[in-house]
Amino acid sequence: MMAAQPLDSPIMHDLSDIAHWLRHHPVHHTSQVHSTLPDPTFDTGGETLVSFSTNNYLALANHPRLVAAAKEGLDRYGVGNCESRLLGGDLEVYRELETRLGALKHKSDAVLFVTGYMTNIGVLSSIVKAATLARLHGFRTKKRHKYAYYSDEFNHISIREGIQMSGALRYNYRHCDMNHLEALLKAGAEEGTTPLIVSDGVFSMEGTIAPLPDLVALAERYGALLYIDDAHATGILGANGGGTSEHFNCYSDNIMQMGTLSKALGAIGGFVAVERDVAEVIRLTSSAYGFTCPPPPDQAAALLAALDLLEQEPQRRQRLWENQRYFIEKMAPLGYTILSTQTPILPVLIGDAETCQRYAIELRREGIHVDAVQFPAAPVGKARLRFMMNAGHTRAQIDHVVGVMARLAGRELRLVA
Ligand SMILES: Cc1ncc(COP(=O)(O)O)c(C=O)c1O
């Protein structure tokens, strides 16, 4: 056996030093290995816990109909898709899924990507370069645009990275602050830039809903495209789970509707719903579509079953919202600050990151998992327990977690010490 070689490159030294530091700072290092999926109950380290932080909002990930559809997909197609869809990897099941997702979002088409993260990276990095790429093939435009992105400061990191990769001008506006956004748009208009506004529909760490009608009005006033990331809204908001547009009954040709398939819909994948001609351009110009593989076909098959359940079992969504209201009502007398009560994401503000971790540890002792969210996912000094309500929570489980939070409220000083 060869002896371990000493690390001899500066980057390896850095990585090794960081790993050493992390071991002594457990507040930064909390990932646990589980043996089953939260539905919302799950097994980990020989115990059974209840998750109050799972994205599996509607408890669909292990629903028998999704599992059966995935098994049929496996039997029919095999385990993976080893091709780009532009080069022989296109399957009917993807097209069917895209048509269904387009319909959910009131668009004529959708483009499927391997994850939501890759959707944001892939679309935002490429749409502003589509004309440049087409010019290489002989396309002639009347005008060359200087594009500028306007992005909510709390947008998901994949949005921020996609915008950065685009090379376009970029401006952050304060969270949901339409006056600030308008001031930036006005300045951009004076510079002759062509604007694109990007916002999460539901903000994953805040639980807030973007003010879509105001965003649409501003987009119309300044001739902007609006890109909405409905990762936490698809399947959740609106009578049919259509997302932020359905919630506000606010639709516009100007909106690109992004969503993920790995949260309420229980599988994996991401998509952007747009009109058919725009979809064609995205398929041809986004590397994240053309230079990599789509999700495995069994996942697409499972997702068709998930979309059926979204239509056929609205009671799942209703239960989720009933649980959300019940939790808020029970927590009210305890004196905690819930940062937003608009969605099933209910962040309970703790403040100090270490105290927040200790809350999570105390909750874990009581059989409850809640994410302790801290910088960089939340602003410094605004660490929070990110409670996420689930259609599968029972009243007894909610009563239990509220009881533990009541007890911990009384012990706050000891937690800080
Ligand atoms: C707002 C938002 N957008 C995009 C994503 C990425 O989605 P996925 O997990 O499908 O990659 C997430 C996931 O956490 C998210 O919260």
Side-chain angles (χ1 to χ4, degrees), residues 24 39 41 43 97 110 125 138 153 159 247 252 258 306 335 347 410 414:
H24 294 88
D39 65 353
T41 301
D43 295 336
L97 179 59
S125 66
E153 63 176 332
I159 290 180
H247 172 78
S252 162
M258 178 272 171
R414 201 173 83 75

Side-chain angles (χ1 to χ4, degrees), residues 55 57 114-120 154-159 199-205 229-232 258-263 267-271 345 386:
N55 291 316
Y57 289 103
V114 72
T115 62
Y117 185 94
M118 288 307 292
T119 310
N120 282 337
F154 289 162
N155 277 341
H156 191 257
I157 188 153
S158 52
I159 290 180
S199 176
D200 284 4
V202 168
F203 289 84
S204 55
M205 299 297 158
D229 174 340
D230 256 357
H232 289 272
M258 178 272 171
T260 179
L261 305 169
S262 68
K263 300 193 192 296
I268 191 162
F271 67 95
I345 301 173
R386 183 172 64 149

Side-chain angles (χ1 to χ4, degrees), residues 85-86 94-95 97-99 101-102 107-115 118-119 122-123 227 256-259 261 269-286 288-290 294-295:
R85 289 178 67 194
L86 289 184
Y94 298 135
R95 294 286 174 149
L97 179 59
E98 287 172 334
T99 304
L101 290 168
K107 297 283 180 185
S108 56
D109 204 353
V111 184
L112 183 64
F113 291 82
V114 72
T115 62
M118 288 307 292
T119 310
V123 177
Y227 181 100
M256 282 192 173
Q257 302 271 7
M258 178 272 171
L261 305 169
F271 67 95
V272 62
V274 286
E275 297 308 334
R276 195 156 290 128
D277 51 353
V278 178
E280 275 317 297
V281 176
I282 291 174
R283 288 192 178 98
L284 290 173
T285 56
S286 174
Y289 180 87

Side-chain angles (χ1 to χ4, degrees), residues 165-180:
M165 279 171 68
S166 76
L169 293 166
R170 50 185 197 272
Y171 303 96
N172 281 347
Y173 60 91
R174 286 190 291 274
H175 181 51
C176 291
D177 184 337
M178 296 297 101
N179 291 331
H180 190 208

Side-chain angles (χ1 to χ4, degrees), residues 262-338:
S262 68
K263 300 193 192 296
L265 293 174
I268 191 162
F271 67 95
V272 62
V274 286
E275 297 308 334
R276 195 156 290 128
D277 51 353
V278 178
E280 275 317 297
V281 176
I282 291 174
R283 288 192 178 98
L284 290 173
T285 56
S286 174
S287 308
Y289 180 87
F291 284 78
T292 187
C293 292
D298 64 286
Q299 293 292 298
L303 282 156
L304 290 170
L307 290 172
D308 288 343
L309 284 167
L310 220 55
E311 286 170 20
Q312 293 161 9
E313 296 190 359
Q315 64 272 23
R316 283 178 181 273
R317 208 162 30 257
Q318 283 156 15
R319 251 193 338 260
L320 170 67
W321 284 101
E322 280 161 18
N323 284 342
Q324 191 257 18
R325 286 190 288 273
Y326 186 71
F327 178 83
I328 294 167
E329 188 190 311
K330 291 278 161 183
M331 284 287 283
L334 305 190
Y336 288 102
T337 301
I338 303 181

Side-chain angles (χ1 to χ4, degrees), residues 66-104:
L66 268 75
V67 175
K71 281 183 181 161
E72 266 178 46
L74 283 172
D75 288 341
R76 180 161 174 196
Y77 300 106
V79 173
N81 181 336
C82 308
E83 307 284 354
S84 152
R85 289 178 67 194
L86 289 184
L87 299 174
D90 211 358
L91 293 169
E92 286 159 2
V93 70
Y94 298 135
R95 294 286 174 149
E96 195 182 339
L97 179 59
E98 287 172 334
T99 304
R100 293 280 301 275
L101 290 168
L104 180 69

